[in-house]
Amino acid sequence: DPGRIYEVGSQSCSSRIIDGRPPSNCRRGAIFTGSPCFPYFDIFLKYISKMTLVNKHESLDEVEFMPLDTPRAIVARSLEWPENFERAPHYHDRCQLVYCSEGVMNVTAPAGTWVVPPQRAVWMLANIVHTIMAKTNLSFRSIYIDPSAAPWLPTECCVVGVSTLLRSLILEAVEIPLNYQLGGREERIMNLILDEIAGITAIAGDL
Protein backbone atom coordinates (compact mmCIF):
# COMPACT_ATOMS: atom_id res chain seq x y z
CA ASP A 1 0.00 0.00 0.00
CA PRO A 2 1.17 3.56 -0.63
CA GLY A 3 3.10 4.95 2.28
CA ARG A 4 3.33 1.73 4.28
CA ILE A 5 6.23 0.54 6.46
CA TYR A 6 7.03 -3.12 5.97
CA GLU A 7 8.58 -5.53 8.47
CA VAL A 8 9.16 -3.11 11.35
CA GLY A 9 11.11 -5.01 13.98
CA SER A 10 12.04 -7.73 11.52
CA GLN A 11 14.58 -10.28 12.69
CA SER A 12 14.68 -12.00 9.30
CA CYS A 13 17.93 -10.54 8.00
CA SER A 14 21.34 -11.95 8.73
CA SER A 15 23.60 -8.94 8.29
CA ARG A 16 23.94 -5.43 9.71
CA ILE A 17 23.57 -2.09 8.01
CA ILE A 18 26.97 -1.07 6.60
CA ASP A 19 27.75 2.55 5.70
CA GLY A 20 24.09 3.43 5.94
CA ARG A 21 22.99 0.82 3.40
CA PRO A 22 20.46 -1.88 4.35
CA PRO A 23 21.60 -5.50 3.96
CA SER A 24 21.15 -6.94 0.50
CA ASN A 25 19.34 -10.05 1.72
CA CYS A 26 16.51 -8.05 3.33
CA ARG A 27 13.28 -7.38 1.55
CA ARG A 28 12.98 -4.09 -0.32
CA GLY A 29 10.77 -1.54 1.39
CA ALA A 30 11.61 -2.47 4.98
CA ILE A 31 12.77 -0.27 7.82
CA PHE A 32 15.19 -2.41 9.76
CA THR A 33 14.78 -2.34 13.51
CA GLY A 34 16.33 -4.58 16.10
CA SER A 35 19.39 -6.80 16.02
CA PRO A 36 21.03 -7.79 13.77
CA CYS A 37 19.80 -5.46 10.98
CA PHE A 38 19.57 -2.24 12.95
CA PRO A 39 22.03 -2.09 15.86
CA TYR A 40 20.73 1.30 17.06
CA PHE A 41 17.21 0.24 17.90
CA ASP A 42 16.92 2.64 20.86
CA ILE A 43 17.77 5.58 18.61
CA PHE A 44 15.16 4.45 16.12
CA LEU A 45 12.53 4.29 18.87
CA LYS A 46 13.46 7.83 19.89
CA TYR A 47 12.73 9.04 16.38
CA ILE A 48 9.44 7.15 16.25
CA SER A 49 8.28 8.51 19.61
CA LYS A 50 9.07 12.12 18.62
CA MET A 51 7.49 12.02 15.17
CA THR A 52 4.71 14.51 14.56
CA LEU A 53 2.21 13.20 12.03
CA VAL A 54 0.99 15.62 9.36
CA ASN A 55 -2.49 14.19 9.80
CA LYS A 56 -3.16 13.01 13.35
CA HIS A 57 -5.76 10.59 12.03
CA GLU A 58 -3.13 8.72 10.02
CA SER A 59 -1.09 5.93 11.54
CA LEU A 60 2.68 5.84 11.24
CA ASP A 61 2.66 3.07 8.67
CA GLU A 62 0.66 5.29 6.30
CA VAL A 63 3.25 8.08 6.13
CA GLU A 64 6.70 6.52 6.30
CA PHE A 65 7.41 5.40 2.72
CA MET A 66 6.36 6.56 -0.72
CA PRO A 67 5.20 3.76 -3.05
CA LEU A 68 8.07 2.53 -5.17
CA ASP A 69 6.09 0.10 -7.32
CA THR A 70 5.18 2.61 -10.05
CA PRO A 71 6.52 1.58 -13.47
CA ARG A 72 7.66 5.15 -14.14
CA ALA A 73 11.40 5.75 -13.84
CA ILE A 74 10.98 9.28 -12.45
CA VAL A 75 8.27 10.37 -10.01
CA ALA A 76 7.70 13.30 -7.67
CA ARG A 77 6.18 13.63 -4.21
CA SER A 78 4.79 16.56 -2.27
CA LEU A 79 4.24 16.84 1.52
CA GLU A 80 3.66 19.60 4.04
CA TRP A 81 5.52 19.17 7.35
CA PRO A 82 5.25 21.23 10.55
CA GLU A 83 8.22 22.76 12.34
CA ASN A 84 10.28 20.16 14.27
CA PHE A 85 8.84 17.24 12.31
CA GLU A 86 11.39 14.41 12.14
CA ARG A 87 11.31 11.68 9.54
CA ALA A 88 12.60 8.49 11.14
CA PRO A 89 15.62 6.71 9.62
CA HIS A 90 14.54 5.25 6.28
CA TYR A 91 15.74 4.57 2.76
CA HIS A 92 14.42 4.33 -0.78
CA ASP A 93 15.36 1.97 -3.58
CA ARG A 94 15.60 5.00 -5.88
CA CYS A 95 17.93 7.95 -5.99
CA GLN A 96 16.28 11.01 -4.48
CA LEU A 97 16.58 14.76 -4.90
CA VAL A 98 15.54 15.93 -1.43
CA TYR A 99 14.14 19.43 -1.81
CA CYS A 100 11.88 21.89 0.00
CA SER A 101 10.32 24.78 -1.88
CA GLU A 102 9.66 26.65 1.37
CA GLY A 103 11.32 26.34 4.77
CA VAL A 104 14.62 24.88 6.01
CA MET A 105 15.46 21.27 6.81
CA ASN A 106 18.36 19.20 8.12
CA VAL A 107 19.15 16.05 6.15
CA THR A 108 21.39 13.46 7.80
CA ALA A 109 23.07 10.50 6.10
CA PRO A 110 26.33 8.61 6.65
CA ALA A 111 28.12 11.18 4.45
CA GLY A 112 27.13 14.09 6.70
CA THR A 113 24.40 16.41 7.95
CA TRP A 114 23.30 19.22 5.66
CA VAL A 115 21.30 22.39 6.25
CA VAL A 116 19.03 22.77 3.24
CA PRO A 117 17.19 26.01 2.36
CA PRO A 118 15.02 26.34 -0.78
CA GLN A 119 18.03 27.38 -2.87
CA ARG A 120 19.59 23.96 -2.28
CA ALA A 121 18.74 20.28 -2.34
CA VAL A 122 20.41 17.04 -1.27
CA TRP A 123 21.22 14.37 -3.81
CA MET A 124 20.63 11.05 -2.02
CA LEU A 125 21.74 7.77 -3.53
CA ALA A 126 19.45 4.77 -3.56
CA ASN A 127 19.47 2.50 -0.49
CA ILE A 128 21.15 5.05 1.78
CA VAL A 129 19.58 5.31 5.23
CA HIS A 130 18.79 8.96 6.05
CA THR A 131 16.70 11.19 8.27
CA ILE A 132 15.07 14.57 7.68
CA MET A 133 14.16 17.22 10.26
CA ALA A 134 12.04 20.28 9.50
CA LYS A 135 13.66 23.31 11.12
CA THR A 136 10.62 25.40 10.10
CA ASN A 137 7.27 24.68 8.53
CA LEU A 138 8.29 22.83 5.40
CA SER A 139 6.94 22.40 1.88
CA PHE A 140 8.67 19.13 0.99
CA ARG A 141 9.06 18.44 -2.72
CA SER A 142 11.11 15.44 -3.74
CA ILE A 143 12.08 13.67 -6.96
CA TYR A 144 12.69 9.89 -7.04
CA ILE A 145 14.67 8.34 -9.88
CA ASP A 146 15.27 4.70 -10.79
CA PRO A 147 19.10 4.46 -10.83
CA SER A 148 19.04 2.26 -13.93
CA ALA A 149 17.23 5.00 -15.87
CA ALA A 150 20.12 7.46 -15.60
CA PRO A 151 23.44 5.86 -14.62
CA TRP A 152 25.29 9.10 -15.42
CA LEU A 153 23.73 10.92 -12.44
CA PRO A 154 25.89 11.89 -9.40
CA THR A 155 27.51 8.94 -7.64
CA GLU A 156 27.87 10.49 -4.16
CA CYS A 157 25.44 12.03 -1.68
CA CYS A 158 25.92 15.80 -1.64
CA VAL A 159 24.31 19.23 -1.41
CA VAL A 160 23.55 20.82 -4.77
CA GLY A 161 22.30 24.17 -5.95
CA VAL A 162 18.77 24.44 -7.34
CA SER A 163 18.40 26.68 -10.38
CA THR A 164 15.27 28.68 -11.11
CA LEU A 165 14.47 26.26 -13.93
CA LEU A 166 14.95 23.15 -11.79
CA ARG A 167 12.77 24.62 -9.04
CA SER A 168 10.01 25.34 -11.55
CA LEU A 169 10.24 21.84 -12.99
CA ILE A 170 10.03 20.26 -9.53
CA LEU A 171 6.97 22.31 -8.62
CA GLU A 172 5.35 21.23 -11.86
CA ALA A 173 6.37 17.59 -11.41
CA VAL A 174 4.69 17.20 -8.00
CA GLU A 175 1.36 17.91 -9.73
CA ILE A 176 1.89 14.97 -12.10
CA PRO A 177 0.35 11.61 -11.11
CA LEU A 178 2.71 8.71 -10.38
CA ASN A 179 1.52 6.66 -13.35
CA TYR A 180 1.59 9.45 -15.92
CA GLN A 181 1.22 8.67 -19.60
CA LEU A 182 4.40 8.24 -21.61
CA GLY A 183 5.15 10.20 -24.74
CA GLY A 184 3.48 13.42 -23.65
CA ARG A 185 4.14 16.64 -21.79
CA GLU A 186 4.39 14.97 -18.37
CA GLU A 187 7.17 12.62 -19.46
CA ARG A 188 9.02 15.50 -21.12
CA ILE A 189 8.94 17.45 -17.86
CA MET A 190 10.44 14.49 -16.02
CA ASN A 191 13.15 14.11 -18.67
CA LEU A 192 13.99 17.80 -18.37
CA ILE A 193 14.48 17.27 -14.63
CA LEU A 194 16.96 14.50 -15.45
CA ASP A 195 18.84 16.87 -17.75
CA GLU A 196 19.00 19.55 -15.05
CA ILE A 197 20.18 17.11 -12.35
CA ALA A 198 22.87 15.76 -14.67
CA GLY A 199 24.41 19.23 -14.80
CA ILE A 200 24.38 20.09 -11.11
CA THR A 201 27.56 20.28 -9.04
CA ALA A 202 28.15 19.68 -5.34
CA ILE A 203 28.49 22.69 -3.03
CA ALA A 204 29.62 23.01 0.57
CA GLY A 205 26.80 22.51 3.04
CA ASP A 206 27.83 20.26 5.93
CA LEU A 207 27.01 21.28 9.50
Side-chain angles (χ1 to χ4, degrees), residues 65-85:
F65 273 104
M66 71 159 288
L68 300 178
D69 56 354
T70 174
R72 302 295 175 254
I74 314 164
V75 292
R77 189 188 191 194
S78 157
L79 292 167
E80 298 296 323
W81 289 346
E83 183 179 359
N84 295 324
F85 174 89

Side-chain angles (χ1 to χ4, degrees), residues 29-190:
I31 276 186
F32 304 103
T33 63
S35 175
C37 290
F38 199 96
Y40 307 110
F41 186 49
D42 290 340
I43 297 175
F44 180 86
L45 287 181
K46 173 186 173 185
Y47 274 98
I48 292 295
S49 65
K50 291 176 65 178
M51 280 189 72
T52 303
L53 299 182
V54 175
N55 183 341
K56 293 183 179 179
H57 298 289
E58 293 178 328
S59 62
L60 178 62
D61 65 357
E62 292 174 328
V63 297
E64 185 62 28
F65 273 104
M66 71 159 288
L68 300 178
D69 56 354
T70 174
R72 302 295 175 254
I74 314 164
V75 292
R77 189 188 191 194
S78 157
L79 292 167
E80 298 296 323
W81 289 346
E83 183 179 359
N84 295 324
F85 174 89
E86 290 186 68
R87 175 67 83 197
H90 65 287
Y91 77 100
H92 309 278
D93 61 355
R94 295 175 180 236
C95 297
Q96 180 183 7
L97 187 69
V98 186
Y99 177 67
C100 62
S101 60
E102 295 183 13
V104 178
M105 60 184 170
N106 284 357
V107 180
T108 300
T113 295
W114 301 281
V115 179
V116 190
Q119 300 81 13
R120 298 181 180 181
V122 172
W123 176 251
M124 188 69 62
L125 299 181
N127 299 317
I128 295 293
V129 175
H130 58 282
T131 64
I132 302 171
M133 179 177 180
K135 303 296 289 183
T136 66
N137 290 340
L138 199 70
S139 295
F140 183 79
R141 309 289 184 261
S142 197
I143 303 295
Y144 301 83
I145 303 170
D146 184 336
S148 64
W152 62 85
L153 291 175
T155 57
E156 296 182 354
C157 297
C158 58
V159 174
V160 298
V162 176
S163 67
T164 301
L165 175 57
L166 181 55
R167 172 187 166 85
S168 298
L169 289 170
I170 292 171
L171 295 182
E172 191 68 29
V174 296
E175 302 298 326
I176 295 174
L178 290 178
N179 294 319
Y180 53 87
Q181 291 188 352
L182 300 179
R185 173 179 179 273
E186 294 170 336
E187 184 183 17
R188 290 195 292 272
I189 288 172
M190 296 301 186

